[in-house]
Amino acid sequence: MTFDFLVEHVLYGVLDLSFWQYVLVTFLLVQITMMAVTLYLHRDQAHRAVDLHPALRHFFRFWIWFTSGMLTPEWVAVHRKHHAYSDVPGDPHSPVLYGIRKILLEGAEVYRDSARDPAVVAKYGRGTPDDWLERNVYSKHRNLGIVLMIVTDLVLFGVPGIIILSVQLIA
C-alpha cells in the first residue's frame, strides 16, 4: 500500500466519485431522511395514517437513529404533544410561541429539549417500538449512530463526505 494510495482514499474516499455523483448521493441520502421523517415518524408512528411493512419500519427507525441520534418514541411523543397543544402554551414546538426562526433553525434542539421529559414520552409516546433494539442499542447508544454515520461518510466519500454529512444534518 503506497502513500499516494492512502492519500487518494483519504481525500476522495473508497468510492472516488465524480462531482455530480457526490451531488446525486447527497440528494438521495437527504430524500431517504425526508421519507423516514414523513412516512415513518409522522404518518406511520405518530398518526397511524399508514401501515408500513415491518422491514421498512425498522430501516427507517435505524436511519433516523443513524443520521440524527433521535429515538422514535421521543419524536412521536413530542409531535403528539404538539397536536394536543397546537400553538397554545404547552406546545413543544410552536412557531407562534417560539418564533418561526427558532423552529426553522433550531427545530431538532427544541424537539430534544421537550423529549428530555420522561413524562412527555410516557404519556404521548405510547405504541412506539419498545423492543430489545430500542432498549439496548438505540436508547443506550443514541450517539453511536451519528458517530457511525460520520465514519461511514468519511470512509466512503473522503473529504467531500464532510459536505455530505453537513447537508444530511441540516436536512
Side-chain angles (χ1 to χ4, degrees), residues 27-44:
F27 175 78
L28 292 174
L29 293 174
V30 169
Q31 292 307 306
I32 293 169
T33 301
M34 299 304 250
M35 285 188 293
V37 171
T38 301
L39 293 175
Y40 172 67
L41 288 176
H42 191 234
R43 301 285 182 243
D44 182 77

Side-chain angles (χ1 to χ4, degrees), residues 95-168:
V96 172
L97 299 175
Y98 294 102
I100 189 74
R101 182 177 180 187
K102 181 167 182 74
I103 297 305
L104 288 175
L105 298 177
E106 301 174 43
E109 290 84 359
V110 172
Y111 256 78
R112 208 167 280 126
D113 288 344
S114 187
R116 286 191 178 122
D117 184 351
V120 170
V121 177
K123 181 175 182 179
Y124 295 101
R126 285 173 288 179
T128 57
D130 186 26
D131 57 7
W132 185 90
L133 277 172
E134 195 68 35
R135 291 187 304 275
N136 295 292
V137 178
Y138 300 144
S139 294
K140 280 189 179 177
H141 307 287
R142 70 181 320 143
N143 293 325
L144 178 61
I146 295 172
V147 170
L148 291 173
M149 181 184 68
I150 292 168
V151 170
T152 301
D153 280 358
L154 291 175
V155 168
L156 292 177
F157 309 118
V159 173
I162 297 168
I163 297 168
I164 292 170
L165 174 66
S166 300
V167 172
Q168 284 180 274

Side-chain angles (χ1 to χ4, degrees), residues 1-13:
M1 197 176 297
T2 67
F3 180 73
D4 292 338
F5 176 82
L6 287 174
V7 169
E8 182 177 325
H9 280 82
V10 167
L11 287 177
Y12 304 108

Side-chain angles (χ1 to χ4, degrees), residues 38-93:
T38 301
L39 293 175
Y40 172 67
L41 288 176
H42 191 234
R43 301 285 182 243
D44 182 77
Q45 290 294 300
H47 296 298
R48 302 285 187 215
V50 297
D51 190 23
L52 297 176
H53 188 278
L56 194 54
R57 278 183 178 151
H58 180 72
F59 171 75
F60 283 145
R61 180 168 59 143
F62 166 79
W63 189 260
I64 292 295
W65 170 78
F66 182 67
T67 59
S68 70
M70 197 172 294
L71 304 176
T72 299
E74 293 177 355
W75 192 97
V76 168
V78 173
H79 187 74
R80 287 177 179 165
K81 185 177 180 190
H82 160 71
H83 281 288
Y85 295 94
S86 191
D87 293 332
V88 298
D91 186 339
H93 66 91

